[in-house]
Amino acid sequence: DDLTSLLQGLIDAALLRYSKDTIARPDYALFSAGGRVVPSITTDTLVMRRSGAFGRYVLGKKDVEGLPPARALHPDNSVGSCWPFKGDQGQLGVLLSRRAVVGDVTIEHAPSEVAHDVSSAPRNVEVWGLVEGTENKANVAEYLATHPSSESAFPPSPDHLLLANVTYDPSLPNHVQTFPIDPEIVNLGVDVGIVIFRVQSNWGADFTCLYRVRVHGDAV
Amino acid sequence: DDLTSLLQGLIDAALLRYSKDTIARPDYALFSAGGRVVPSITTDTLVMRRSGAFGRYVLGKKDVEGLPPARALHPDNSVGSCWPFKGDQGQLGVLLSRRAVVGDVTIEHAPSEVAHDVSSAPRNVEVWGLVEGTENKANVAEYLATHPSSESAFPPSPDHLLLANVTYDPSLPNHVQTFPIDPEIVNLGVDVGIVIFRVQSNWGADFTCLYRVRVHGDAV
Amino acid sequence: DDLTSLLQGLIDAALLRYSKDTIARPDYALFSAGGRVVPSITTDTLVMRRSGAFGRYVLGKKDVEGLPPARALHPDNSVGSCWPFKGDQGQLGVLLSRRAVVGDVTIEHAPSEVAHDVSSAPRNVEVWGLVEGTENKANVAEYLATHPSSESAFPPSPDHLLLANVTYDPSLPNHVQTFPIDPEIVNLGVDVGIVIFRVQSNWGADFTCLYRVRVHGDAV
Ligand SMILES: [K+]
Ligand SMILES: [K+]
Ligand SMILES: [K+]
């Protein structure tokens, strides 16, 4: 009896946690909370051809554009509810719902058990923050002076801070993978309003599909 | 082994219950089952300004009206999927999918762990039933004669029965909070087709956002 | 402590499995993954009248057509999110997202705990595959020659293979019910691109509402 009630408590606590979007942390990229895609720094969406003459015959479909990038800011992770882009390199610019010092990011693909194929999952992903404001820029400049290797990775300007360089692995048991930002970066205290997810490789497909990205941290 | 299978049974039962909309009870306010908002007795939706010059620059957004009140009859509780109204007082009129003797009501906000801020959660909420039909009105009149304090609370007419006066608390562990109707009220046997949620206060924000209300009971 | 960590492991594994669409198996009928309804072999959607003069008065609604058949290929199982057809007999033709040798099918109704009424749930359901291709047709012909009873059940042509004849029971604890295809059928190795769910009876209502069907198996 005592054991059963102990168990019931553990189970209920776990269920409650799961019902809170599985990881129970605020997500500043979430569309319904105000996160938005920044089109000017986001790769074009893949245009897909419907495979199979029969499908075309039955459905009368022509080529269709994939779901828009904002799909990667929605919680739904049912198979196909992702933003596709051509090849294995592309980027998603996200205007956060609040400026924040980013502490972690989460990347999620459809679970391998239900996905037809996980070769379109992202693999290596760089996560950049857009640096704005005098104080933030000074902090980043000081950091870059002592960490020269980070400086040249992003083309258009030096006003970008590499927050993390992570590897998403769809073969792991949990399809929702959270990556901490290096404490040295977090401790710079640089708050950002825009985060860029730069996919650098995938797991073999000729397109990549992002199901969901999340941005966690301390809002300012 | 016996223990493990006992545990697995407990866990599976709990999961199954959770997969059934977390509380596994019929909800007569649920939109997809036929519940609807009654506009004539529902407060106006908040018009929000997009904060931040940068957001306006990137997105070209103007002022936007919040999500409509029917959003509070949908199960989705991701952050922002709520119906906002100005200030801390407002009401939502719900036409139930079936006339019912109400036994409980449920109020749900986004979980505090994922919400950016729970100060927009409702606090004190009165739940009223619209009384129709000779027999129901007679029952209510008899009840009010012996409970005069309840009589004058609702302006336009005496044809309203105060079902419950509840306090939603976003700091509690479970964000889905069910409130029983006083048995004395339930035992009147008054069936209602319209329930009104009258928010009387919130947790400090200058607007209030209702994520979901549910109405449970015995359909007639 | 050891026990608690054992428990936590069991619970987390169960939660993870549940978060993967509850049964953690690929579904070739899923709309978001590319599954589609084939209108020419699908029954007409029910046209419903809104019950109650009061509802009509408040909402100004006229007769409305029910949700389209594609709703039965979407994961949402909140009450009312189903495809309704008149009476207790009707069929849904599904173009799979991939040709597959079907191994199991899953039928799901709203959980009886939250549904207002489960009398509209399907009861006896035949599941047919549309046979295409010389090799597949030869395999089926050979099979039918030794199993004559199956041959005449489907009207328009003999190019249909009865995959399963199942009974959905809404009174069982789990509302998500998976049915294996007879191994003798699976071993024919016949891959199909279209599966037809033929509801032959329901649980008593004058209409039937399909919440979700899934098709599992080995894609070719
Ligand atoms: K998504
Ligand atoms: K909602
Ligand atoms: K559905």
Side-chain angles (χ1 to χ4, degrees), chain B residues 143-197:
Chain B
Y143 172 77
L144 291 179
T146 57
H147 299 73
S149 63
S150 306
E151 196 168 3
S152 61
F154 203 91
S157 94
D159 303 335
H160 294 84
L161 177 62
L162 181 61
L163 298 172
N165 192 333
V166 308
T167 300
Y168 182 86
D169 183 349
S171 74
L172 293 178
N174 198 337
H175 57 293
V176 180
Q177 299 176 14
T178 298
F179 306 95
I181 309 304
D182 185 328
E184 200 174 10
I185 298 284
V186 176
N187 290 337
L188 293 176
V190 173
D191 59 293
V192 298
I194 290 184
V195 169
I196 303 166
F197 290 83

Side-chain angles (χ1 to χ4, degrees), chain C residues 71-113:
Chain C
R71 182 52 63 120
L73 309 182
H74 282 288
D76 175 18
N77 78 344
S78 55
V79 178
S81 297
C82 54
W83 167 59
F85 58 82
K86 194 178 174 183
D88 64 348
Q89 299 195 346
Q91 69 179 42
L92 175 66
V94 182
L95 177 68
L96 305 182
S97 56
R98 299 195 176 183
R99 297 189 65 83
V101 177
V102 180
D104 306 80
V105 295
T106 296
I107 299 176
E108 175 174 359
H109 198 73
S112 58
E113 290 87 344

Side-chain angles (χ1 to χ4, degrees), chain A residues 100-105 136 139 143 161-164 179-191 216-218:
Chain A
V101 178
V102 180
D104 308 80
V105 296
N136 283 331
N139 285 347
Y143 173 77
L161 177 61
L162 181 61
L163 299 172
F179 306 94
I181 308 303
D182 184 330
E184 200 174 9
I185 298 284
V186 177
N187 290 337
L188 293 176
V190 172
D191 59 294
H216 316 292
D218 290 320

